[in-house]
Each structure stands twice: as structure tokens, then as C-alpha cells.
Amino acid sequence: MRILVTGVKGQLGHDVVNELAKRGHTPIGVDVEEMDITDASAVEKEMKKEPLDAVIHCAAYTAVDAAEDNREICMRVNAEGTRNIARVCRELDLKMVYISTDYVFDGEGERPWEPDDPRDPLNVYGESKYQGELAVEEYLEKYFTVRIAWVFGVNGKNFIKTMLRLAESQKEINVVNDQIGSPTYTYDLAVLLVDMVETEKYGRYHATNEGLCTWYEFAKEIFRQAEVDIRVNPVSSDEFPAKAKRPHNSRMDKRKLVRNGFRPLPPWQDALKRYLEIIRS
């Protein structure tokens, strides 16, 4: 299969291209220089350049706090950009994989979010991804909407790298302990996305590594595995005021993966171990 991958310079796009190539597919990786997704004509030109079978759309505006002050550009990238791609996918009859987020929900309660739960975003970023989901659903039947959370990968910034960097200059650190979710390793996710695009089992899915934790518990495990001696203090979200509201409940119900024959991602602790081995080698 010939598959266009957007956001190839990001954490996920980088790993998706590698996984596609590993399996004998032909990935065509693009970033903003090759295809500005907010430019409908540029999207059409690039997507019609050569025959394609599918698009895995990883490109996104992901600066959650900055989005509160830059609503227009966030919506242009995540909503309009996705709409531009979905429109051409319909015209060319291509499969589309759209990467979304738990932020499309309101983040309340304790029950794991199911793929078809009502969506009620709690910040600008979440709203933009929700609008992207609606665009995909409006134009396509052959789509996979895959919601992820707490992403980390080799290529780019993430929570793990931030923790390790802070530990270089601090003896103790405060981390929020009232937001619960599951980390997502882009390497593991890329394997699943390629598994998906090789099928026709379309629909909405949730995909994070197995197991739950708070950000505090995640940080503790990072330092334990990295053998870094630092004191980690659990604090409430109120002690870390941020411009964008964050979900307290990022639990994701992933049973649909198994029901449709896909392998769940490995436990997050295992993913962390493999990730640390790569970035510290």
C-alpha cells in the first residue's frame, strides 16, 4: 500500500513511517514544508501527485495552553486541515486514519470513556480535535478515528524528557496526583495504526498503553526505572494553574480493539522501559 503520513517530523509520524516501511508498504511522509494542511489547494495537489491507498493523519497543533490564546490557528490546523484531507480522501476513495484525543470529552467522572460516548470538549485544543472528528465523519465512511492520551516518543518533547531534564537541576519536584489516565508510546501506537490501516474495521477507537496512573505515579516510575534519586511530591491540579483546563479523568475504554481483532498496546511500564533504553543509549 502507498500511504501518505502527515506530521512526519512529529513523535508519531516519525514512528508510523518507520513501521510502514518495515512491513513493506510505501510511506510518503510530509510535513508543513511539503503539504500545508491548512491550504486546501496544496493538500489536493500533494494528494493527487501519485496514487495513494490511505492517509494516516498525524499532523496537529498540540500546544494545549497556547491554543487558548491562538484559537484561530489551532482550529485552522486541527479542524480545517483535517477537513481538507478528508475531502480529498472522499474524492479519491482513500482510507483515512485520524489521530484524536481524550480531550474531546469533558474529563469528569471516573468511568472509562467509551469510543461512542457524547463529546464535550473542555478547552480550545479539545474543541479543535472534536471539529476534526466531525469533519472526518461528515466526509468519510472508510475512516479510523483513534483517540490517544499522554503521548511520548523518541522524536520530540514529552513528559518523560521533561522529568529527566528537571531532575538534572532539582532535588525535589511537585507533580499533579489528581489526573488519571494512561501513557501512549508512539512506537507501540504506530504498530497498531498500521495493523488498522491494513483492515477495513472502520470506526472510533481508543488506544493507549495498558494500565492506569496519575502523572505523579508516572513520574515516580520514570525516576525508579531511570535510577534517578529525586523526591517527588504529589500535589493537586489547583497548585499547577494552567491556561487550558485539563481533564481529571482520562481513563479510556479500549475493549473495542480486542473485539475487532487488534492487539492492545503493552503495559505502560513496559513501554517506558523500552523507551528509556532507546533515549539513554
Side-chain angles (χ1 to χ4, degrees):
M1 295 171 70
R2 293 178 55 83
I3 301 173
L4 183 74
V5 182
T6 67
V8 74
K9 288 183 178 176
Q11 298 184 90
L12 180 57
H14 174 84
D15 287 344
V16 168
V17 163
N18 289 343
E19 183 64 25
L20 285 167
K22 192 189 297 182
R23 298 207 208 169
H25 297 297
T26 303
I28 297 100
V30 295
D31 216 289
V32 66
E33 296 85 0
E34 295 82 21
M35 187 178 93
D36 179 352
I37 65 172
T38 66
D39 182 339
S41 60
V43 169
E44 187 170 358
K45 182 180 177 183
E46 182 64 33
M47 288 180 65
K48 291 182 175 179
K49 195 186 290 183
E50 297 178 69
L52 293 173
D53 298 292
V55 176
I56 300 180
H57 178 32
C58 303
Y61 182 104
T62 57
V64 177
D65 287 321
E68 297 296 309
D69 293 325
N70 297 280
R71 178 185 176 86
E72 186 181 341
I73 186 169
C74 182
M75 296 298 290
R76 201 158 66 233
V77 173
N78 293 346
E80 283 307 309
T82 300
R83 180 176 295 276
N84 291 337
I85 293 169
R87 190 181 292 124
V88 182
C89 280
R90 181 174 71 177
E91 184 183 342
L92 301 179
D93 192 30
L94 306 179
K95 300 178 183 182
M96 180 172 174
V97 180
Y98 173 58
I99 308 302
S100 192
T101 171
D102 63 299
Y103 280 43
V104 299
F105 302 116
D106 66 16
E108 297 302 319
E110 295 183 357
R111 179 180 67 82
W113 297 104
E114 296 184 20
D116 294 326
D117 276 339
R119 295 164 288 191
D120 184 17
L122 77 173
N123 55 37
V124 170
Y125 169 69
E127 174 67 21
S128 72
K129 296 299 283 186
Y130 170 46
Q131 292 299 327
E133 289 190 10
L134 292 179
V136 169
E137 292 165 12
E138 176 188 343
Y139 281 97
L140 302 172
E141 293 180 359
K142 294 163 63 171
Y143 71 86
F144 304 86
T145 290
V146 184
R147 299 192 188 110
I148 61 177
W150 300 21
V151 182
F152 66 94
V154 173
N155 207 31
K157 299 175 182 176
N158 58 60
F159 181 75
I160 300 170
K161 290 181 179 178
T162 299
M163 290 297 102
L164 294 174
R165 177 174 50 78
L166 290 173
E168 292 174 1
S169 59
Q170 300 182 26
K171 287 190 165 55
E172 67 178 282
I173 188 169
N174 296 335
V175 183
V176 296
N177 195 38
D178 56 3
Q179 298 172 19
I180 299 176
S182 307
T184 309
Y185 183 17
T186 55
Y187 176 88
D188 293 338
L189 179 62
V191 172
L192 174 65
L193 296 180
V194 179
D195 286 346
M196 283 184 169
V197 83
E198 291 175 340
T199 75
E200 295 178 355
K201 296 175 179 177
Y202 304 118
R204 299 177 193 151
Y205 291 88
H206 291 167
T208 60
N209 284 91
E210 289 297 298
L212 293 168
C213 60
T214 65
W215 288 107
Y216 164 74
E217 290 165 340
F218 191 14
K220 289 278 284 185
E221 183 65 11
I222 291 167
F223 295 130
R224 187 190 72 78
Q225 289 198 21
E227 298 181 332
V228 173
D229 184 19
I230 183 171
R231 180 184 176 88
V232 185
N233 304 312
V235 298
S236 74
S237 299
D238 295 339
E239 296 178 61
F240 265 92
K243 190 151 285 213
K245 188 178 179 186
R246 298 301 201 274
H248 285 284
N249 178 23
S250 293
R251 300 170 179 88
M252 309 275 267
D253 189 315
K254 294 162 283 193
R255 288 176 295 179
K256 187 175 179 179
L257 292 175
V258 177
R259 285 200 301 271
N260 284 359
F262 298 117
R263 284 170 297 176
L265 278 58
W268 67 265
Q269 297 92 335
D270 173 72
L272 172 61
K273 179 175 181 290
R274 287 178 285 120
Y275 178 72
L276 288 173
E277 286 171 356
I278 291 172
I279 66 168
R280 305 184 95 206
S281 62

